[in-house]
Amino acid sequence: MSLLDWFVMTGTLAAIVLYGVYKTRQVNNVESYLMGDRDLKWWTIGLSVMATQASAITFLSTPGQAYNDGLGFAQFYFGLPIAMVVLCVFVLPIYYRLKVYTAYEYLEGRFDLRVRTLTAILFLIQRGLAAGITIYAPAIILSTILEWSLSLTILLIGLVVIFYTVVGGTKAVSVTQKQQMIVILLGMFAAGVVVVMELPADIGLGDAIGVAGHLGKLNIVDLEFDLNDRYNIWSALLGGTFLFLSYFGTDQSQVQRYLSGKSLTESRLGLLFNGIFKVPMQFLVLMVGILVFVFFLFQPPPVHFNSANLDKLRNSEYGTELTTLEEDYARINERNQAATLTMVEALRSEDELAITEARTAVEATLEERASVARSVDGLITAYDAELITEDRDYVFITFVINYLPVGLVGLLLAVIFSAAMSSTSSELNALATTSVIDIYRRSLVPGRDDDHYFAASKWLTILWGLIALGFAAVANLFDNLIQAVNIIGSLFYGVILGVFAVAFFFKHVGGKAVFRAAIVGQSFVALTFVANWVEVIDLAYLWLNLIGCAITIAVAVVLETTQNRGLLSGEGR
């Protein structure tokens, strides 16, 4: 990486962090530290909410997802606007009326302390795990690309985030996220422009879109109902909507962002801004991935995108076999490029027969490329079974490092670091807030003064930061990073949403019933996940949100009804 790229990357990151520290230098009490004086405008809330969800995983994994599978992943976000409207109408007014610090405070008033504590603990478990992944995921890729040690990269990301989160609390998180989101959007747009500019001189954006469309990369909506399909319209509108309702309505890392708003109206506008602009942002990121796919039809891609794995093979007894496979791959790429150029000419002439023949030729060469890539994966596994052969998360960063102009590489690396920092900082802030408000001050050490809880908030931020760093240091890479975070969320979000749904809409159900229902629901989700993992059943993870929520609600209603009929022993509530 050039000196200019280093300057752009470090300068951008340093400016964001120093700005956040400067803007929050007067924070000196618990309310300011945890709630930011509740004075944020809607655009800051909206960008902060988007930045909290848009981790580095989004900008590393999503282009690779599109490179392999096209625009289908966009369906995952179709339930988001629905969820935002529901939350603005039903949930935000309750939170603002009660003036709560956390979403879980409300549950004690509605049910009892047991329900509040259980739900807070479920959040702490899943968000603590996710915080580790949001550090680890970009670190393992950036360390490979930048040729840093993995431990150093994890430590660097973690310490910077812990520093400004501890210093400025929730306001530091929100004001830095606004700047980070602006950098992220500018960087991704610039990357998309550069991809088009890097195409052959006589190939334009329209040609690239035409090729991608005829190769099936622009198919967005899948109407087929398949419980095992992660991304179809049904899993998105049902499972996805429940996931977003739970994430934005009950996950403290998001709730804390909009509870810091100046008013209910500002918070509502911030959430609606997120609901409107998040889907186009995801389309932008996915389109960048698709353009990278088209780019690698004309420019030979590496046979395996994780260069560290290839370096290990070259220096092993499998080096000769790898060289032979790479030579085969190069010959296939020559035929692939010729077939793609023929396809472009056919599209320009609108000759359907020629288009069909050219598409068939391109698809055949792509399958040959995939076959060689699978053979390389086999060599990697033979060399070391512990190495990860899934390389789609390295697709975009490979393009960034090898093909972007000097200066822009630094900006895109700043984008990835910014996204990692923004999501991790909000997670640490939310973990500390929930620990202090729902566990430490409420049950463990009640009755102390504001200075004590202010200090405790900072120490717990550091503690959760160290826990996240520890988990990141021992974690392993999933097949796809963005799926890893969503899977962890789906294990817990459904039950948490079920508890809140009972609280909001089933006023006759009491604490005893919902506490037991949450335990039953979480146990069932865990068993379903294990059964799916060992392939006893075949179910896409998004459905776990709907399953957990539905079982929690159903069991709570049944238990309460049974109690009221006198069929259960003990007190009704």
Side-chain angles (χ1 to χ4, degrees):
M1 195 165 70
S2 71
L3 184 62
L4 177 59
D5 288 317
W6 279 106
F7 177 78
V8 170
M9 182 182 75
T10 56
T12 302
L13 296 175
I16 291 172
V17 171
L18 292 175
Y19 175 79
V21 172
Y22 172 76
K23 292 290 286 185
T24 57
R25 63 194 183 281
Q26 309 258 337
V27 171
N28 58 7
N29 60 74
V30 169
E31 183 171 5
S32 294
Y33 190 76
L34 299 182
M35 302 307 297
D37 294 322
R38 302 180 192 261
D39 61 354
L40 298 182
K41 294 288 189 178
W42 66 267
W43 55 84
T44 300
I45 295 169
L47 290 172
S48 180
V49 166
M50 288 176 67
T52 296
Q53 187 186 19
S55 68
I57 298 169
T58 301
F59 303 100
L60 287 170
S61 262
T62 306
Q65 185 87 18
Y67 182 92
N68 278 17
D69 303 321
L71 284 180
F73 180 67
Q75 295 172 102
F76 175 75
Y77 291 92
F78 285 1
L80 180 61
I82 301 171
M84 295 301 97
V85 172
V86 171
L87 293 176
C88 287
V89 173
F90 295 107
V91 177
L92 262 66
I94 296 174
Y95 288 160
Y96 264 86
R97 186 173 70 248
L98 297 176
K99 295 183 177 179
V100 295
Y101 280 85
T102 75
Y104 318 111
E105 277 186 276
Y106 162 70
L107 295 177
E108 182 176 0
R110 172 63 181 83
F111 297 120
D112 54 36
L113 178 59
R114 290 185 308 169
V115 175
R116 172 184 179 178
T117 303
L118 174 63
T119 312
I121 289 172
L122 290 178
F123 163 74
L124 291 173
I125 293 171
Q126 70 89 11
R127 186 48 59 191
L129 293 174
I133 289 182
T134 53
I135 294 174
Y136 173 79
I140 193 170
I141 294 176
L142 288 169
S143 65
T144 300
I145 298 300
L146 298 175
E147 297 182 349
W148 295 353
S149 74
L150 177 59
S151 299
L152 174 63
T153 312
I154 290 172
L155 191 64
L156 179 64
I157 296 173
L159 290 182
V160 172
V161 171
I162 292 171
F163 166 69
Y164 74 78
T165 307
V166 168
V167 170
T170 193
K171 195 166 187 177
V173 173
S174 294
V175 298
T176 52
Q177 283 181 325
K178 181 171 68 173
Q179 316 305 321
Q180 287 161 341
M181 201 65 221
I182 293 170
V183 170
I184 286 167
L185 292 174
L186 288 175
M188 293 306 295
F189 179 78
V193 171
V194 171
V195 178
V196 176
M197 293 175 62
E198 289 288 332
L199 291 172
D202 58 339
I203 303 296
L205 177 61
D207 296 320
I209 296 298
V211 169
H214 280 79
L215 292 176
K217 296 295 184 180
L218 301 184
N219 297 334
I220 302 174
V221 177
D222 181 0
L223 296 176
E224 183 179 351
F225 186 83
D226 182 357
L227 289 174
N228 185 44
D229 187 357
R230 289 170 174 162
Y231 308 117
N232 60 46
I233 194 66
W234 310 111
S235 64
L237 292 180
L238 294 173
T241 299
F242 277 83
L243 175 62
F244 290 127
L245 281 172
S246 188
Y247 177 52
F248 289 98
T250 71
D251 188 307
Q252 185 62 22
S253 64
Q254 284 291 3
V255 172
Q256 199 155 339
R257 305 280 68 78
Y258 55 75
L259 287 185
S260 301
K262 189 174 183 179
S263 65
L264 174 60
T265 299
E266 297 284 349
S267 293
R268 279 175 162 165
L269 287 173
L271 275 187
L272 291 174
F273 173 87
N274 176 62
I276 292 170
F277 286 100
K278 177 67 175 179
V279 176
M281 188 193 82
Q282 288 302 130
F283 268 101
L284 169 63
V285 178
L286 287 166
M287 279 305 303
V288 170
I290 288 171
L291 290 173
V292 170
F293 165 78
V294 176
F295 171 80
F296 280 125
L297 293 177
F298 298 101
Q299 180 72 32
V303 71
H304 182 81
F305 281 97
N306 186 346
S307 59
N309 286 348
L310 293 181
D311 291 339
K312 291 173 182 176
L313 278 185
R314 288 193 183 95
N315 296 319
S316 72
E317 66 271 25
Y318 299 100
T320 303
E321 293 179 67
L322 175 61
T323 300
T324 301
L325 288 171
E326 287 182 320
E327 290 171 354
D328 291 342
Y329 199 70
R331 286 190 290 271
I332 295 169
N333 278 316
E334 289 177 2
R335 290 190 283 111
N336 175 257
Q337 181 177 356
T340 305
L341 289 171
T342 301
M343 186 175 178
V344 170
E345 293 301 323
L347 288 170
R348 289 172 177 173
S349 66
E350 299 182 357
D351 184 335
E352 291 301 326
L353 179 59
I355 291 172
T356 301
E357 292 176 349
R359 183 178 65 242
T360 301
V362 173
E363 289 173 343
T365 55
L366 287 176
E367 177 53 38
E368 289 182 60
R369 279 197 342 191
S371 177
V372 174
R374 286 192 293 270
S375 297
V376 172
D377 290 347
L379 289 183
I380 294 170
T381 301
Y383 168 75
D384 185 350
E386 297 298 317
L387 292 177
I388 304 297
T389 57
E390 178 57 65
D391 64 343
R392 77 181 75 179
D393 295 319
Y394 293 83
V395 170
F396 181 58
I397 195 68
T398 298
F399 174 81
V400 167
I401 293 296
N402 294 326
Y403 296 101
L404 259 60
V406 172
L408 199 52
V409 173
L411 178 62
L412 265 293
L413 289 173
V415 165
I416 295 167
F417 274 112
S418 291
M421 290 160 53
S422 68
S423 55
T424 305
S425 63
S426 60
E427 288 168 339
L428 298 185
N429 187 227
L431 287 164
T433 301
T434 302
S435 300
V436 170
I437 300 300
D438 295 300
I439 307 295
Y440 186 78
R441 188 175 74 175
R442 179 62 186 88
S443 300
L444 299 180
V445 187
R448 300 295 293 271
D449 60 22
D450 187 83
D451 288 343
H452 176 85
Y453 295 119
F454 180 52
S457 299
K458 292 197 171 189
W459 282 111
L460 281 166
T461 302
I462 294 172
L463 176 62
W464 278 111
L466 294 176
I467 290 172
L469 280 175
F471 182 74
V474 300
N476 203 354
L477 192 64
F478 287 71
D479 283 348
N480 183 254
L481 301 177
I482 198 165
Q483 291 177 8
V485 171
N486 290 332
I487 288 170
I488 289 176
S490 295
L491 286 173
F492 297 94
Y493 278 142
V495 172
I496 295 174
L497 178 60
V499 171
F500 276 88
V502 172
F504 293 140
F505 302 114
F506 297 85
K507 298 299 184 182
H508 69 288
V509 177
K512 189 173 183 178
V514 79
F515 180 80
R516 292 176 174 177
I519 293 175
V520 172
Q522 192 60 64
S523 300
F524 191 87
V525 168
L527 289 172
T528 304
F529 174 76
V530 171
N532 200 48
W533 185 40
V534 299
E535 299 182 353
V536 173
I537 60 174
D538 202 4
L539 186 71
Y541 66 83
L542 276 178
W543 292 106
L544 295 176
N545 300 284
L546 178 57
I547 291 170
C549 182
I551 289 178
T552 301
I553 294 172
V555 172
V557 171
V558 169
L559 287 176
E560 186 66 27
T561 302
T562 307
Q563 286 174 180
N564 290 341
R565 290 176 180 173
L567 297 180
L568 287 180
S569 61
E571 297 180 2
R573 297 194 184 194

